[in-house]
Amino acid sequence: MSATESLSPAPAADPGRRERKRLQTLDHLARTAFGLFEAQGYDAVTMEQIAAAADVAKGTLYNHFPVKEALLAHHLHGELAASLAALWPALRALPSFAARLTRILRASADWSESHRAYLGPYLRYRLAHAQSDAARHPRSGLQPAYASLIAEAQAAGQLRADLSAEQLAHHLQFLHLGAMLRWLDRPGASLRDEYDAALSLFLGGAAKEAP
């Protein structure tokens, strides 16, 4: 198997009937909430409205999602996971880590532009609950995808191998998030430019080149 053939998301394990039902409930609640966000505006929607629209008791909603930011995060993670899975065939055709990462960041910029109204509350929630929700709610899969890309590049001699792919992926993901936060704070800025700067920093570091 070649490096490009092995570049693909790991198949998810069968979660079992009870877990499948729980995930279906999470998806239903988050999808209902997002429909209300789109129709009424994120700030205007209450948890009580979401419970009523989803036809569940308020206690059921709060048991799964304590705040509406958690519903937003679940929905956006589902969108991102689907987008990332659809992107893998295009990534296989690219020859280098830099080209593959650029392709991901270009797609991320386009997606983020269309979801800008939601990214402020999403990122505040995401950064405040980086670990606590991981066991109960599916993530976008971006960090494992980064780790896979980095491991492939290390095996091909394109990236340094003295740091683990997981560690490098962790740093890359926070560069990604940092670029997005900077873009949100600067009206009129280009997210593609912010991502290009993050990519340059990841690949080349911040040290000044020798003359």
Side-chain angles (χ1 to χ4, degrees):
M1 180 179 289
S2 71
T4 54
E5 287 172 336
S6 63
L7 179 62
S8 60
D14 185 349
R17 183 173 179 273
R18 175 179 290 184
E19 180 64 6
R20 283 197 302 272
K21 185 174 181 180
R22 187 184 77 86
L23 293 174
Q24 287 170 358
T25 298
L26 297 180
D27 290 343
H28 167 64
L29 294 172
R31 185 167 55 249
T32 300
F34 194 76
L36 291 174
F37 299 156
E38 290 280 82
Q40 301 180 27
Y42 177 78
D43 291 335
V45 176
T46 66
M47 291 289 278
E48 288 72 20
Q49 287 176 301
I50 295 168
D55 195 24
V56 299
K58 286 190 291 184
T60 299
L61 176 61
Y62 279 103
N63 182 55
H64 290 296
F65 296 101
V67 292
K68 67 180 183 180
E69 287 82 3
L71 286 150
L72 178 64
H74 184 91
H75 180 82
L76 295 186
H77 285 167
E79 281 196 19
L80 287 166
S83 298
L84 190 58
L87 194 59
W88 284 110
L91 293 177
R92 287 195 184 97
L94 299 174
S96 68
F97 173 80
R100 291 168 180 169
L101 186 55
T102 297
R103 181 69 180 85
I104 288 179
L105 294 177
R106 290 283 185 268
S108 177
D110 293 342
W111 181 89
S112 297
E113 290 278 3
S114 67
H115 291 76
R116 183 169 189 148
Y118 300 109
L119 292 181
Y122 163 71
L123 287 173
R124 287 192 295 271
Y125 179 82
R126 172 73 174 82
L127 293 172
H129 300 81
Q131 299 300 328
S132 60
D133 276 0
R136 298 185 64 225
H137 295 279
R139 288 289 179 83
S140 66
L142 185 60
Q143 185 161 335
Y146 278 160
S148 176
L149 288 170
I150 290 167
E152 295 283 352
Q154 288 173 324
Q158 296 176 2
L159 292 178
R160 57 188 292 180
D162 58 319
L163 298 175
S164 71
E166 181 182 3
Q167 182 178 3
L168 288 172
H170 180 84
H171 291 304
L172 177 56
Q173 186 169 26
F174 277 91
L175 278 173
H176 184 158
L177 290 174
M180 189 181 293
L181 286 168
R182 179 175 158 85
W183 168 69
L184 287 171
D185 285 341
R186 299 170 66 234
S190 165
L191 184 53
R192 286 196 173 197
D193 288 347
E194 295 294 339
Y195 282 154
D196 285 347
L199 176 60
S200 176
L201 183 59
F202 183 79
L203 293 177
K208 184 178 180 180
E209 293 184 4

